[in-house]
Amino acid sequence: MELWKAMELDNAEQLVLCQDRNSGLKVVIAIHSTSLGPALGGCRMWDYATEEDAIRDALRLAKGMTYKCAVSGLSYGGGKAVVMGRPDSFRRKDVFRALGRFIETLRGRYVTGIDLGTTVQDMDVVRLETGYVTDTTGSLCATGDFTAEMTAYGVFLGMNQSLMQDNGSNTMANITVAVQGLGKVGSFLCRYLHGAGARLIVTDVDDQRVRNAVQQYGAAAVHPDHIYACACDIFAPCALGAILNDSTIPQLQCRIIAGAANNQLAEEKHGIMLNDAGILYAPDYVINAGGIIVTAAELNGYDESIARRQVERISATLSTVYQASLSEGIATSAAADKLAEQRLSRVLP
């Protein structure tokens, strides 16, 4: 893998590869931009097939965080830490203590937090070595599942805005939503949707999660491979990224795509494909920004009520993106990128 080319492809500022022999830690820290402020983004733990996969994922996720912060009006840049390996393959406390030491050497250029595969307890260990960490015990974002709920809340509000854009009404009553992925965010989203009167179609690789949704919300369950072809008003990707691609887009039978997953488009061209197909796409880093918005609110010393109100701005941001898409005749994904890049360009030399 040519690291410089990989960095240039995503226009990343810094790529740090760290290892600690004693704990077995191997971590990739990608800092995409600090133009607006310190790079903010969680730490995920995943058993990647190759080192190249881990590096590409870190770089792509870090870029997404930059755009998410920029389009949301936050004074932070984007970063991401990726710990390679299975959770049972090393001594967890030693790993995260070593990670904290490496983050401390960056002197505030990167602030970490929880992400896929990591926990509040992991961040407590990181805190032993550095102050550049969020989501620790007692913090706003570590209270219950506040971050996940606010991410779902933002997606729910974005769905309402998308319905208004699509047909002039934001009522969820009798709207059919197909939810792909029933982790914390997907489950909270189902609760919001059910409460608003939506009909649910759900899928997940975890059968118990599916059974819970069927029992609690009267959802219809489908096999993970069949979710794309379900007839619905809104398709909500809430699992892995790159699921909107050459294979899945032709299967879609929805009017709107609005979900919590990161990096939903496999390639830039897929945003154009959705636009050409007449499907309204809510750009992922706009609609799923609730989590990073409340993290930034906490770092700025705000309480839960203020954080929640700031999440509610997602509707207005999404409306701005939709209007730009229409007026300029471009895909919504391109309109969101343009909005984020305009804010970034105002602070660049």
Side-chain angles (χ1 to χ4, degrees), residues 215 221 226 286 300 306 347:
Q215 181 177 6
H226 301 158
V286 179
N300 292 332
I306 294 176
V347 297

Side-chain angles (χ1 to χ4, degrees), residues 2 11 33 52 74 83 85 87 96 113 132 181 190 195 228-229 247 308-309 317 324 335 341:
E2 297 184 61
N11 196 29
S33 174
E52 289 82 359
L74 304 179
V83 175
F96 284 97
Y132 303 116
C190 286
Y228 304 103
S247 173
R308 182 180 290 268
R309 289 199 297 272
T317 303
E341 288 161 4

Side-chain angles (χ1 to χ4, degrees), residues 18-42:
C18 308
Q19 68 169 350
D20 178 70
R21 179 177 294 181
N22 291 332
S23 65
L25 172 70
K26 288 186 177 180
V27 61
V28 180
I29 302 174
I31 297 175
H32 178 263
S33 174
T34 55
S35 296
L36 295 174
L40 190 59

Side-chain angles (χ1 to χ4, degrees), residues 10-307:
D10 288 313
N11 196 29
E13 286 182 10
Q14 189 173 5
L15 183 65
V16 185
L17 307 181
C18 308
Q19 68 169 350
D20 178 70
R21 179 177 294 181
N22 291 332
S23 65
L25 172 70
K26 288 186 177 180
V27 61
V28 180
I29 302 174
I31 297 175
H32 178 263
S33 174
T34 55
S35 296
L36 295 174
L40 190 59
C43 171
R44 66 174 45 189
M45 180 185 291
W46 192 255
D47 189 16
Y48 290 91
T50 67
E51 296 172 358
E52 289 82 359
D53 288 345
I55 292 169
R56 289 191 187 95
D57 201 30
L59 287 168
R60 192 178 187 198
L61 290 165
K63 181 178 180 179
M65 293 305 300
T66 292
Y67 278 57
K68 187 179 297 191
C69 288
V71 82
S72 301
L74 304 179
S75 298
Y76 292 93
K80 189 68 76 170
V82 167
V83 175
M84 298 178 59
R86 301 188 314 276
D88 60 353
S89 63
F90 35 53
R91 299 185 302 277
R92 197 172 183 107
K93 288 186 178 180
D94 292 342
V95 160
F96 284 97
R97 190 143 192 175
L99 174 63
R101 291 194 292 270
F102 286 125
I103 291 173
E104 177 65 20
T105 66
L106 296 173
R107 295 294 187 266
R109 282 177 53 79
Y110 169 63
V111 182
T112 197
I114 59 174
D115 200 298
L116 181 67
T118 57
T119 67
V120 171
Q121 290 70 37
D122 295 329
M123 297 306 110
D124 287 344
V125 176
V126 171
R127 174 74 77 181
L128 296 175
E129 299 291 343
T130 184
Y132 303 116
V133 57
T134 64
D135 305 329
T136 54
T137 297
S139 67
L140 174 63
C141 293
T143 303
D145 293 314
F146 185 66
T147 302
E149 182 179 359
M150 288 299 96
T151 301
Y153 182 49
V155 172
F156 175 72
L157 295 175
M159 286 181 173
N160 280 273
Q161 187 64 46
S162 300
L163 285 169
M164 179 65 73
Q165 182 70 28
D166 181 66
N167 63 16
S169 172
N170 64 358
T171 179
M172 279 285 175
N174 298 317
I175 293 295
T176 299
V177 183
V179 180
Q180 179 192 47
L182 298 171
K184 288 184 178 180
V185 175
S187 295
F188 275 119
L189 180 60
C190 286
R191 190 181 73 181
Y192 278 112
L193 291 167
H194 178 70
R199 294 187 296 258
L200 296 175
I201 301 171
V202 299
T203 195
D204 195 282
V205 294
D206 186 325
D207 291 339
Q208 185 58 53
R209 291 176 178 175
V210 173
R211 286 192 291 270
N212 289 343
V214 170
Q215 181 177 6
Q216 292 176 37
Y217 308 121
V222 298
H223 188 276
D225 292 341
H226 301 158
I227 192 71
Y228 304 103
C230 286
C232 59
D233 298 291
I234 303 174
F235 173 50
C238 297
L240 299 177
I243 54 88
L244 299 173
N245 51 53
D246 290 341
S247 173
T248 60
I249 290 176
Q251 301 179 52
L252 295 172
Q253 298 188 54
C254 60
R255 296 184 288 123
I256 296 167
I257 297 175
N262 288 313
N263 299 326
Q264 295 171 22
L265 301 175
E267 298 178 52
E268 185 176 324
K269 69 175 184 178
H270 295 120
I272 299 172
M273 285 178 63
L274 291 172
N275 187 67
D276 291 344
I279 298 173
L280 182 63
Y281 172 60
D284 48 26
Y285 62 80
V286 179
I287 196 171
N288 71 8
I292 201 65
I293 288 171
V294 297
T295 297
E298 179 177 348
L299 289 171
N300 292 332
Y302 299 136
D303 62 17
E304 180 178 333
S305 62
I306 294 176

